[in-house]
Amino acid sequence: VGQTLALSTPQRVHALVLGATTHRPPPAPFLALCQEWADSAEPNTSDAVDEFMRFMLPPEMLAKRSGQVLFEQFRKRFLLTERSAAGLQGQIAAMRNFESTADLSRIQCPCMVITGDRDAVIPPQMSVSLAEGIPRSRLVMWRGAGHFWWAHNSTEVVQLLCDFLEDSDAFREDSAPDSSH
């Protein structure tokens, strides 16, 4: 969504954070899992969600007690969202068909691409490629983090995002106070 907005209405996007995303379809194993989930009789059951959620956190994190607690918290919140097979099919189609590689150089605002080096959904090399395609981008790769990279070091993530957005705003031409008032 962020890429599309930056490409379609660049005048409205002054800074862009792209995390856990890519410029082309995710790997086939993840798409196959999503398809299996969408094809299940009950997409909102815990079995379907559990398999999906295991892609989000790295195995090393899940092996720790703190990772298990985090997994359960995410799982509980995830199960609160009602999903339909039709909605999941739409999401899968969007993932399979998304391709913005040729357009990335048109994103001219400051951009931060964030990933975890253990992301099984969007492998880190896809984030590297995404960042390389955007002229004013910066890549941040969280060591030991998976697809849910923001859960890995949440305090540091918040500080990183705030600093980036503040720095980006400081360089906007129209961010200076209007002295005519």
Side-chain angles (χ1 to χ4, degrees):
V1 173
Q3 288 178 58
T4 302
L5 186 60
L7 290 166
S8 64
T9 56
Q11 71 281 6
R12 296 186 67 197
V13 181
H14 301 286
L16 183 62
V17 176
L18 299 173
T21 191
T22 185
H23 52 302
R24 56 182 179 245
F30 180 71
L31 285 173
L33 173 65
C34 292
Q35 188 63 60
E36 187 178 315
W37 182 20
D39 291 342
S40 69
E42 276 298 319
N44 297 297
T45 63
S46 62
D47 288 345
V49 169
D50 285 0
E51 188 67 27
F52 178 80
M53 293 294 294
R54 283 191 186 85
F55 260 85
M56 303 302 137
L57 299 170
E60 301 84 5
M61 183 180 253
L62 290 171
K64 298 176 185 173
R65 176 73 184 127
S66 58
Q68 293 168 12
V69 169
L70 189 59
F71 178 87
E72 285 304 317
Q73 288 173 343
F74 280 139
R75 182 179 166 279
K76 185 177 180 180
R77 300 289 291 165
F78 206 77
L79 286 169
L80 291 176
T81 302
E82 189 72 21
R83 289 169 176 78
S84 69
L88 290 170
Q89 294 291 359
Q91 288 178 315
I92 293 165
M95 287 189 289
R96 276 198 179 113
N97 296 323
F98 188 74
E99 175 58 65
S100 65
T101 305
D103 297 320
L104 293 176
S105 64
R106 292 185 18 235
I107 298 175
Q108 294 300 311
C109 64
C111 178
M112 182 181 293
V113 177
I114 309 175
T115 189
D117 70 349
R118 307 285 296 145
D119 191 337
V121 177
I122 307 296
Q125 64 269 22
M126 292 177 87
S127 295
V128 170
S129 175
L130 176 64
E132 288 173 347
I134 301 172
R136 295 175 64 195
S137 70
R138 171 181 166 203
L139 176 69
V140 176
M141 193 171 309
W142 289 101
R143 182 169 289 174
H147 193 65
F148 286 173
W149 50 266
W150 60 88
H152 192 68
N153 293 313
S154 56
T155 302
E156 291 150 11
V157 167
V158 169
Q159 188 61 57
L160 176 78
L161 295 174
C162 287
D163 290 347
F164 171 73
L165 294 172
E166 286 175 3
D167 291 347
S168 297
D169 196 45
F171 292 106
R172 278 186 41 206
E173 294 174 356
D174 60 343
S175 66
D178 185 352
S179 59
S180 65
H181 294 284

